[in-house]
Amino acid sequence: MTYYRLPEGRVAYFDVDDTLVEWKEPKDDMCSITVEMNGRKLKRKMICSHVQELKRQAEAGTKIIVWSAGGVAWAEACVKALKIGGYVDAILTKPDRYYDDKDVNDWFPKRRFFNE
């Protein structure tokens, strides 16, 4: 079996919903994008500061993983709509559990979120 392996180095995980795009449909067209999913077109608002940070991190050599509790297909559709595919190294479903000898608070980095 072959596994996908990210090269060694820094890694940043970016969530989709309410981090890269607002979950609610926008009231206006400012910063709106169209996400195509299962034959439907959904309007969402891009959260510009987080998309810019994703790009900045990628340009600095950080490996970028985009994930969503909505699944890989949703995350991939949003990456495509945001036109950030060239910055993203992997797309994952957000985990609903993890197995480790250490509590997540002992090793997971500090959460970052920018208010616009």
Side-chain angles (χ1 to χ4, degrees), residues 41-66:
K41 293 183 178 188
L42 306 166
K43 275 188 130 179
R44 294 293 182 262
K45 181 180 177 184
M46 173 177 29
I47 301 176
C48 298
S49 60
H50 292 165
V51 172
Q52 290 303 328
E53 179 63 12
L54 181 150
K55 291 177 180 179
R56 190 185 74 70
Q57 289 286 328
E59 289 167 352
T62 302
K63 306 303 179 250
I64 303 297
I65 296 174
V66 173

Side-chain angles (χ1 to χ4, degrees), residues 92-110:
L92 306 173
T93 297
K94 195 175 199 177
D96 56 0
R97 64 183 65 92
Y98 76 100
Y99 298 84
D100 198 308
D101 64 316
K102 300 204 184 293
D103 184 273
V104 69
N105 294 317
D106 293 340
W107 60 268
F108 207 73
K110 185 176 187 250

